[in-house]
């Protein structure tokens, strides 16, 4: 027996990819080496365009707990610079504080609803490719066995076994600094709140803002209240005392680090409420990017393809959109309608996005480091951020809303993520995100049918859904949407361009069926 796809890794990225495949009619085999879902806290929120992607799948509300469409947030941080996003005429930045275990719960529930279960306590120990598939050696509860699949996807994290076994290089930069420490504690005694939402620590003249990285002359401090009985405190230090990596972080060690970074002596005690931030220490930064995201029938997604500093929370934004980009293309290949080169476009589109995160995560770390030279650079950078255009560019970079794929269409929306539009269809008023829930390609005529798109698109009706709608002041006459939410083609209002539509349908969704 040969399976279509084996997905290795049941973190958020692996679970989401498996769900995308299942939506497209592919039943993946999902393997994870852990016997149960990990309780380790790795991410504490979702940041950027990924929230709009989840909205396209009906997952935004279950994950965030917030009804309706994702809403931009008024503030964020870049390299310990507070970003006042309310100053922007069009704020592209979304964020939702949600622990990783909750994200995984929602995604696994979705996967179960789609008829796919995770095979836990199954560890990949070897793989061999040939022209027709991949043979995977697996050690499980019942011993060793082999699984045969047409494709293998590594979603197994920064230390990816799949990447190593496939021989895919992972070049990058490793630095011994900074040392990061974080814990979930009782609200420390002696801290005071100011009228503008800042925090004053005892003996320290520097005010600190909640949820914001604050740079001092000696490092970075973060404080964030999650409820009245639990506060996250964290530090980043460069050139601090030696660290024994074999010993776990203690609250005494964190307290000493806070004293060095801020000058304040905070008594720390574990939070009484359950929280994700057990004391954790991270030594140095590891920024690496896979040489290629595809090697024959082996593909990489998420941290298996890229690792970087967590500053700004770009990891799940990057990884989940990897999965969305790969899922429909791999399904198209397996179902036999993918045009030539479609699966290769996964690397071509997503590797440059990984390079962008590689760049800005290192830039943020550099901007937070101590020293007079960095202070001078920060003074200049702060002046630049006063201009709304520069603030908007940083916000778009962090959100990932500046990602634009080369799709061969000159329309201003082509290659960008679909705008959040509300339209009126024969069935009522609906948001485009709600039309995308099935994960299928969409052709949306926003002129109420005046463009006459049904005829040119007839040969693709088995795999592309046509929706006729009307939209007040539409940004385009029609939109052809890929399942990952990006615009493959768009028509100007009043101009049908049937030849352009047919070309885009063929380029992205294969030959027409008779």
């Amino acid at each position: 027996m040969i399976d279509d796809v084996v997905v290795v890794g049941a973190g958020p990225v692996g679970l989401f990819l498996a769900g995308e495949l299942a939506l497209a009619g592919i039943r993946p085999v999902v393997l994870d080496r852990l016997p149960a879902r990990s309780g380790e806290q790795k991410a504490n929120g979702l940041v950027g365009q990924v929230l709009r992607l989840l909205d396209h799948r009906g997952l935004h509300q279950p994950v965030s707990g917030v009804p309706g469409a994702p809403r931009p947030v008024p503030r964020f941080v870049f390299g310990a610079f507070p970003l006042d996003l309310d100053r922007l005429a069009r704020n592209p930045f979304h964020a939702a504080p949600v622990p990783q275990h909750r994200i995984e719960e929602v995604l696994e529930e979705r996967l179960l609803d789609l008829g796919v279960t995770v095979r836990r306590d199954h560890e990949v120990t070897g793989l061999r490719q040939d022209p027709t598939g991949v043979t995977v050696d697996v050690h499980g509860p019942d011993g060793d066995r082999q699984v045969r699949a047409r494709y293998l996807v590594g979603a197994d994290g920064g230390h990816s076994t799949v990447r190593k076994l496939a021989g895919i290089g992972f070049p990058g930069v490793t630095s011994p600094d900074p040392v990061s420490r974080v814990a979930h504690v009782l609200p420390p005694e002696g801290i005071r709140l100011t009228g503008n939402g800042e925090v004053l620590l005892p003996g320290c003249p520097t005010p600190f803002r909640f949820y914001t990285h604050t740079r001092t002359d000696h490092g970075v401090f973060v404080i964030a209240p999650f409820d009245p009985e639990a506060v996250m405190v964290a530090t980043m230090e460069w050139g601090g005392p030696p660290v024994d990596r074999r010993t776990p972080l203690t609250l005494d060690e964190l307290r000493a680090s806070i004293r060095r970074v801020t000058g304040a002596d905070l008594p720390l005690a574990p939070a009484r409420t359950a929280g994700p931030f057990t004391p954790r220490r991270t030594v140095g930064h590891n920024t690496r990017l896979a040489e290629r995201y595809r090697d024959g029938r082996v593909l990489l997604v998420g941290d298996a393809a890229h690792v970087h500093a967590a500053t700004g929370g770009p990891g799940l934004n990057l990884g989940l959109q990897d999965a969305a980009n790969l899922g429909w293309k791999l399904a198209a290949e397996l179902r036999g309608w993918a045009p030539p080169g479609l699966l290769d476009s996964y690397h071509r589109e997503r590797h440059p996005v990984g390079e962008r995160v590689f760049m800005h995560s290192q830039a943020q770390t550099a901007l937070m480091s101590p020293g007079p030279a960095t202070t001078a650079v920060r003074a200049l950078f702060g002046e630049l951020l006063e201009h709304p255009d520069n603030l908007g560019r940083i916000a778009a970079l962090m959100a990932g809303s500046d990602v634009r794929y080369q799709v061969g269409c000159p329309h201003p929306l082509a290659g960008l993520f679909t705008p959040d539009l509300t339209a009126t269809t024969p069935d009522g008023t609906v948001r485009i995100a709600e039309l995308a829930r099935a994960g299928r390609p969409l052709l949306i005529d926003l002129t109420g049918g005046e463009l006459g798109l049904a005829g040119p698109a007839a040969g693709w009706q088995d795999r592309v859904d046509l929706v006729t709608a009307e939209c007040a002041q539409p940004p385009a006459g029609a939109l052809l949407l890929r399942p990952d939410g990006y615009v493959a083609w768009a028509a100007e209002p009043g101009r049908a361009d049937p030849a352009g539509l047919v070309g885009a349908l063929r380029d992205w969704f294969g030959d027409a069926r008779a």
Side-chain angles (χ1 to χ4, degrees):
M1 176 182 175
I2 183 167
D3 294 297
D4 284 326
V5 184
V6 169
V7 177
V8 181
V13 174
L15 292 170
F16 188 77
L17 173 63
E20 292 295 280
L21 292 167
L23 275 180
I26 304 298
R27 186 177 294 270
V29 174
V30 184
L31 307 177
D32 195 272
R33 65 179 181 82
L34 297 177
R37 191 185 301 129
S38 173
E40 181 183 357
Q41 179 62 20
K42 298 178 181 178
N44 58 8
L46 292 165
V47 169
Q49 199 84 328
V50 66
L51 285 159
R52 298 198 55 222
L53 169 64
L54 294 178
D55 187 31
H56 275 227
R57 293 296 182 267
L59 295 168
H60 169 253
Q61 181 170 340
V63 166
S64 70
V66 178
R71 293 187 289 272
V73 296
R75 289 173 295 279
F76 202 66
V77 63
F78 179 89
F81 281 93
L83 303 178
D84 184 2
L85 303 175
D86 275 343
R87 293 169 48 211
L88 298 176
R90 293 186 178 180
N91 180 1
F93 200 89
H94 302 83
V98 52
Q100 180 163 322
H101 69 80
R102 176 56 186 162
I103 300 169
E104 292 182 2
E105 286 172 5
V106 171
L107 295 180
E108 190 163 359
E109 288 169 4
R110 174 214 194 196
L111 197 56
L112 288 170
D113 289 341
L114 292 168
V116 180
T117 58
V118 178
R119 302 181 188 179
R120 299 196 180 274
D121 204 12
H122 284 70
E123 182 175 7
V124 171
T125 58
L127 67 87
R128 292 167 299 286
Q129 290 197 65
D130 59 59
T132 61
V134 186
T135 301
V136 187
D137 298 325
V138 180
H139 178 76
D142 300 322
D144 296 332
R145 60 187 290 253
Q146 291 184 340
V147 178
R148 178 83 174 155
R150 294 172 66 186
Y151 288 93
L152 172 68
V153 182
D156 50 342
H159 298 288
S160 172
T161 298
V162 171
R163 185 189 65 239
K164 294 172 184 176
L165 291 172
I168 298 174
F170 204 41
V173 178
T174 298
S175 170
D177 279 323
V179 176
S180 301
R181 299 172 174 90
V182 61
H184 192 75
V185 300
L186 286 176
E189 295 179 5
I191 66 172
R192 294 184 293 115
L193 299 181
T194 68
N196 60 1
E198 293 178 329
V199 181
L200 293 175
L201 306 184
C204 177
T206 303
F208 298 89
R209 294 180 66 178
F210 279 146
Y211 300 106
T212 296
H213 292 71
T214 302
R215 178 181 179 265
T216 74
D217 291 337
H218 306 286
V220 173
F221 179 68
V222 184
I223 182 167
F226 282 82
D227 64 51
E229 295 296 319
V231 173
M232 182 202 79
V233 290
T235 61
M236 297 172 63
E237 282 190 89
W238 284 255
V243 172
D244 185 352
R245 300 184 189 218
R246 298 168 299 179
T247 62
L249 175 68
T250 64
L251 293 184
D252 284 342
E253 180 186 332
L254 177 57
R255 180 180 183 180
S257 178
I258 293 172
R259 188 185 306 115
R260 290 190 296 270
V261 169
T262 70
D265 188 13
L266 291 184
L268 301 180
R272 287 190 289 266
T273 58
F277 297 102
T278 55
R280 185 175 74 250
R281 179 200 309 113
T282 303
V283 179
H285 278 168
N286 195 21
T287 308
R288 297 187 176 275
L289 185 66
E291 291 178 337
R292 54 194 183 279
Y293 286 12
R294 180 187 181 190
D295 184 83
R297 291 179 175 271
V298 177
L299 300 112
L300 304 176
V301 291
D303 288 355
H306 38 69
V307 294
H308 44 77
T311 306
L316 288 178
N317 191 19
L318 183 60
L320 290 172
Q321 290 201 77
D322 286 347
N325 188 290
L326 175 60
W328 73 273
K329 296 174 180 178
L330 185 52
E333 187 76 21
L334 290 164
R335 301 195 70 178
W337 57 257
L342 180 68
L343 192 53
D344 285 329
S345 74
Y346 167 60
H347 170 89
R348 186 169 63 250
E349 290 186 339
R350 294 305 296 171
H351 193 268
V353 183
E355 290 178 323
R356 293 280 284 172
V357 175
F358 190 107
M359 174 271 291
H360 79 65
S361 64
Q362 291 189 91
Q364 290 188 77
T365 301
L367 282 168
M368 292 188 293
S369 63
T374 304
T375 300
V377 172
R378 288 181 63 85
L380 175 59
F381 198 85
E383 290 183 14
L384 294 174
L385 284 179
E386 289 299 314
H387 196 288
D389 287 350
N390 296 327
L391 176 62
R393 290 192 65 175
I394 292 293
L397 172 68
M398 292 291 288
S401 61
D402 61 349
V403 171
R404 182 171 195 161
Y405 299 136
Q406 298 301 311
V407 297
C409 174
H411 192 281
L413 292 178
L416 296 174
F417 198 85
T418 311
D420 186 17
L421 299 176
T422 298
T424 301
T425 72
D427 297 322
T429 301
V430 66
R431 292 189 300 117
I432 284 183
E434 295 168 324
L435 296 173
R437 298 288 157 82
R440 286 171 54 85
L442 278 173
L443 175 59
I444 306 175
D445 183 340
L446 294 169
T447 67
E450 293 179 7
L451 295 182
L453 302 180
W460 288 269
Q461 62 184 351
D462 62 313
R463 73 208 89 141
V464 179
D465 293 336
L466 173 61
V467 176
T468 299
E470 292 182 321
C471 179
Q473 298 181 326
L479 297 170
L480 177 63
L481 308 184
R482 305 184 336 181
D484 58 357
Y486 285 82
V487 178
W489 169 88
E492 296 291 349
R495 181 168 176 262
D497 188 20
L501 171 60
V502 168
L505 286 165
R506 185 181 298 117
D507 288 346
W508 292 104
F509 309 119
D511 292 332
R513 298 281 171 87

